[in-house]
Amino acid sequence: MSPGGRGTRTGKVHEKLIQQALLENYPDAFKEQVVVGNDLFGNKYKADFVLNDEIIISAKWQQTRGTAEQKIVYEIITLVKILKENPKYKKAYIIIGGTGYTKKAKDFYLNQKHVDYIKEGNLVEIISFEDFVKRSNLKLL
């Protein structure tokens, strides 16, 4: 799938749904597309959302089977790096959605198994879109 292609468009729908939940529950407390630091390779990293100027939210949609689910590990490590380098950010969420994740990958991520392998991986929590909406509705983000 080419950059900017179908995968990007379907990911935008996921972001819009997250935006809607934030608008409903945190209307004046979030920003979109915020540069929060640099990724592992030194490139600027733009967060999909920042809540209360301290929580980074990354939206990851996987509609079809592929290697994109493996890129979540890179995203986790990048977010840990950013959180360590920028103390104003306290936590990060990766919101995963879509039917393209394998069951094993989805179970691994949603059970926070990355914490067993990535130092300070506990700074990044991976949750489903449904769990994100629930927490947002309860103002528990």
Side-chain angles (χ1 to χ4, degrees):
M1 197 170 294
S2 64
R6 186 166 182 241
T8 301
R9 287 193 306 274
T10 57
K12 288 289 181 197
V13 172
H14 183 57
E15 286 179 31
K16 294 271 185 202
L17 294 169
I18 291 169
Q19 176 197 50
Q20 191 59 44
L22 290 170
L23 278 171
E24 194 69 35
N25 297 297
Y26 299 92
D28 299 318
F30 75 96
K31 298 174 185 159
E32 298 177 62
Q33 302 300 315
V34 179
V35 175
V36 293
N38 295 318
D39 68 14
L40 294 179
F41 304 139
N43 301 307
K44 286 183 182 176
Y45 178 91
K46 194 180 289 184
D48 293 316
F49 303 94
V50 173
L51 179 63
N52 293 327
D53 290 324
E54 64 181 20
I55 299 172
I56 298 169
I57 299 173
S58 173
K60 294 297 175 196
W61 180 259
Q62 177 88 28
Q63 189 159 311
T64 58
R65 293 280 167 108
T67 59
E69 67 185 19
Q70 297 168 7
K71 296 175 184 171
I72 299 292
V73 174
Y74 178 85
E75 183 79 358
I76 296 167
I77 298 171
T78 289
L79 289 168
V80 168
K81 175 185 177 288
I82 289 168
L83 291 166
K84 296 299 296 172
E85 293 175 351
N86 301 288
K88 77 179 258 186
Y89 299 114
K90 309 294 184 214
K91 178 180 181 122
Y93 288 104
I94 299 174
I95 316 300
I96 63 171
T99 56
Y101 291 95
T102 61
K103 180 178 179 346
K104 286 182 179 180
K106 197 168 186 178
D107 288 347
F108 180 88
Y109 291 131
L110 295 178
N111 287 310
Q112 314 306 314
K113 292 294 187 186
H114 65 282
V115 172
D116 295 341
Y117 303 99
I118 299 172
K119 185 178 176 184
E120 300 181 83
N122 61 315
L123 296 171
V124 179
E125 189 172 0
I126 303 169
I127 60 176
S128 68
F129 175 72
E130 293 81 3
D131 192 23
F132 169 77
V133 171
K134 177 182 172 183
R135 291 183 191 201
S136 179
N137 288 342
L138 296 172
K139 300 198 180 344
L140 294 175
L141 292 174

